[in-house]
């Protein structure tokens, strides 16, 4: 059967590697597991498995809005924030319309845009940073404003975040007809006071939609719950494409339970802070230079082929992410783990440094292939 022509340009999602004989530090999950309060809520919800869940998602929206100090009408939950992305594409993108996406970022923006046959333009990221200047240059390169701009902050896979001033600079200088989608999947981990909080800006910018998730800080990746935050008008538009019962009952219960568990968030942040410190010290000792991450992972060049590097580390008991599919074939991304997990990782990193000596150069921009080209209509995920 002939499939739609756009599908031939789409490549399947590359997930972080999972092995039965290794700990998983390849998908930026919460190393503490799920929030115990969320688990308890899921156990209770299991008894109602024969009844359709709340299709209007009233309880979940109210809980999220209460937590954030906003209105339930400004929230749209999804089956992971991934689903909210495809809802955004299905609501706003017409075939051929231009969308701007950073050169090295999460693959699902391109997936959602391609699904709707939009035209993808990659914004260059010299020194692996997406800057307002590069975005605005790409915007101005054509007479018609782009339909949408996707900004991941803190960015997966670099961990680098937009400052408040940078995000405002973009929002103040693009057309109101251009949708700005800010993905805050890792926002809770950010520690610098300068880091942009887009959620606080949605009332001021009606063209802004912010994505959040329960998959990271709340440890609920398998339950698939994320949400969008925007003005009530945008949310009502997105509602038109939302499937009935898009968030399952266990996911709804888990998320509501997790929102009441502030202690778990505090413990998760403390684990991340300690792990970040230890992993940075270890990487520095071995000669690696991680980027300045505001997230729960570190990204660094290995001085050789990252796939071979990941294999060496996996053979010592930890899977990590080689970043070829992000256009960075010489970089690894490693989730910040617990102390015991970092013990395992340390063995792998020491073996790696012995077999493939770290790149002595400090030039994070040094890399190969399409990653160095200018604004392109590339196909990389
Ligand atoms: C930047 C970013 N956004 C979104 C997601 C996916 O979130 P969810 O599990 O809510 O679909 C991820 C998952 O790794 C991510 O890295």
């Amino acid at each position: 059967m002939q499939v739609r022509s756009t599908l031939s340009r789409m490549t399947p999602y590359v997930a972080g590697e999972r092995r039965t004989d290794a700990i998983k530090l390849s998908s930026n999950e919460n190393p503490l597991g799920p929030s115990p309060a969320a688990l308890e809520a899921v156990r209770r919800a299991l008894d109602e498995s024969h009844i359709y869940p709340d299709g209007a998602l009233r309880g979940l929206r109210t809980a999220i809005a209460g937590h954030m100090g906003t209105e339930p009408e400004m929230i749209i939950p999804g089956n992971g924030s991934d689903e909210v992305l495809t809802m955004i594409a299905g609501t706003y993108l017409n075939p051929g319309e231009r969308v701007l996406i950073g050169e090295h970022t999460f693959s699902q923006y391109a997936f959602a845009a391609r699904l709707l046959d939009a035209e993808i333009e990659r914004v260059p990221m010299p020194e692996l940073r997406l800057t307002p200047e590069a975005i605005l240059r790409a915007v101005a390169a054509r007479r018609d404003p782009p339909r949408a701009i996707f900004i991941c902050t803190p960015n997966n896979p670099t961990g680098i975040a937009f400052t408040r001033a940078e995000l405002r600079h973009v929002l103040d200088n693009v057309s109101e007809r251009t949708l700005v989608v800010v993905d805050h999947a890792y926002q809770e981990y950010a520690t610098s006071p300068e880091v942009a909080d887009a959620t606080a800006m949605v009332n001021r910018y009606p063209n802004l939609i912010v994505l959040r998730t329960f998959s990271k800080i709340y440890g609920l990746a398998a339950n698939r719950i994320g949400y969008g935050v925007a003005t009530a008008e945008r949310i009502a538009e997105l509602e038109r494409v939302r499937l009935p019962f898009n968030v399952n009952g266990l996911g709804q219960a888990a998320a509501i339970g997790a929102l009441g568990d502030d202690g778990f968030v505090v413990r998760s942040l403390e684990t991340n802070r300690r792990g970040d410190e230890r992993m940075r010290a270890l990487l520095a000792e071995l000669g690696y230079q991680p980027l300045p991450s505001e997230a729960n992972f570190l990204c660094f060049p290995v001085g050789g082929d990252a796939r071979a590097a990941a294999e060496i580390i996996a053979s010592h008991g930890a899977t990590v992410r080689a970043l070829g599919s992000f256009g960075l074939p010489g970089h690894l991304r490693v989730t910040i783990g617990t102390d015991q997990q970092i013990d395992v990782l340390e063995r792998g990193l020491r073996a790696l440094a012995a077999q493939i000596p770290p790149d002595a150069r400090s030039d994070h921009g040094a890399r190969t292939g399409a990653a160095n080209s200018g604004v392109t209509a590339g196909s990389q995920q």
Side-chain angles (χ1 to χ4, degrees), residues 7-353:
L7 301 190
S8 64
R9 295 194 298 276
M10 295 173 71
T11 46
Y13 178 69
V14 183
E17 195 186 358
R18 181 176 186 153
R19 294 188 186 183
T20 48
D21 59 347
I23 56 165
K24 188 165 177 244
L25 299 177
S26 54
S27 296
N28 310 330
E29 290 136 337
N30 191 322
L32 297 186
S35 140
L39 272 190
E40 189 44 45
V42 169
R43 283 194 197 98
R44 282 196 302 273
L46 273 172
D47 290 340
E48 300 230 315
S49 291
H50 59 300
I51 295 172
Y52 282 105
D54 174 3
L57 299 159
R58 255 182 291 270
L60 180 53
R61 286 186 218 255
T62 303
I64 294 170
H67 190 76
M68 285 177 36
T70 184
E71 300 302 319
E73 293 72 28
M74 296 178 72
I75 308 290
I76 186 158
N79 186 36
S81 54
D82 283 350
E83 193 204 11
V84 185
L85 266 175
T86 55
M87 288 192 230
I88 290 170
T91 304
Y92 298 107
L93 301 184
N94 289 299
E97 285 182 333
R98 183 167 69 120
V99 306
L100 303 184
I101 300 175
E103 200 182 1
H104 308 289
T105 195
F106 186 52
S107 61
Q108 292 309 99
Y109 318 127
F111 172 86
R114 280 225 173 80
L115 198 58
L116 272 292
D117 248 330
E119 182 194 331
I120 295 162
E121 201 168 297
R122 293 285 180 176
V123 181
M125 292 172 58
E127 300 299 314
L128 302 188
R129 279 179 186 273
L130 183 64
T131 62
E133 291 73 26
I135 292 173
L136 295 175
R137 250 195 315 277
V139 167
R142 293 208 210 155
R143 201 160 51 87
D144 282 340
R147 188 71 178 108
I149 302 170
F150 292 86
I151 298 173
C152 185
T153 172
N155 185 44
N156 175 7
T158 58
I160 295 173
F162 259 48
T163 65
R164 206 169 304 117
E166 285 173 330
L167 186 58
R168 283 221 190 99
H169 190 51
V170 173
L171 289 164
D172 286 336
N173 287 285
V174 296
S175 158
E176 283 169 12
R177 287 185 292 144
T178 297
L179 190 68
V180 178
V181 180
V182 172
D183 185 350
H184 265 349
Y186 301 98
Q187 181 69 7
E188 292 88 350
Y189 293 99
T191 53
S192 160
E194 299 300 305
V195 166
D197 175 6
T199 323
M201 300 183 184
V202 291
N203 281 319
R204 179 154 169 208
Y205 299 99
N207 56 337
L208 172 64
I209 301 179
V210 183
L211 298 176
R212 309 291 301 248
T213 183
F214 284 87
S215 297
K216 308 297 175 183
I217 193 77
Y218 293 106
L220 295 174
N223 288 91
R224 312 300 306 126
I225 324 119
Y227 57 98
V229 188
T231 60
E233 289 76 16
R234 294 295 82 73
I235 297 299
E237 288 157 1
L238 290 165
E239 273 294 320
R240 298 188 197 186
V241 301
R242 188 173 69 82
L243 295 178
F245 314 114
N246 64 322
V247 181
N248 73 73
L250 302 183
Q252 292 186 36
I256 293 169
L259 284 174
D261 193 356
D262 290 340
F264 180 76
V265 171
V266 170
R267 286 199 301 285
S268 300
L269 290 176
E270 179 52 20
T271 303
N272 198 62
R273 191 195 58 74
R274 272 205 321 271
D276 179 274
E277 220 172 86
R278 182 174 163 202
M279 276 172 57
R280 277 184 192 283
L282 173 64
L283 289 168
E285 181 206 323
L286 296 173
Y288 297 106
Q289 298 185 10
L291 296 166
S293 173
E294 293 282 353
N296 64 341
F297 53 83
L298 295 178
C299 174
F300 55 95
V302 289
D305 174 20
R307 268 178 318 180
E311 196 48 51
I312 293 169
I313 297 173
S315 72
H316 286 79
T319 60
V320 299
R321 183 74 189 248
L323 297 177
S325 64
F326 289 79
L328 296 170
H331 283 65
L332 284 181
R333 188 196 68 201
V334 182
T335 307
I336 295 170
T338 58
D339 251 355
Q340 292 96 316
Q341 289 176 333
I342 300 174
D343 288 343
V344 177
L345 177 70
E346 180 169 350
R347 287 196 288 276
L349 284 172
R350 289 193 185 280
L352 171 65

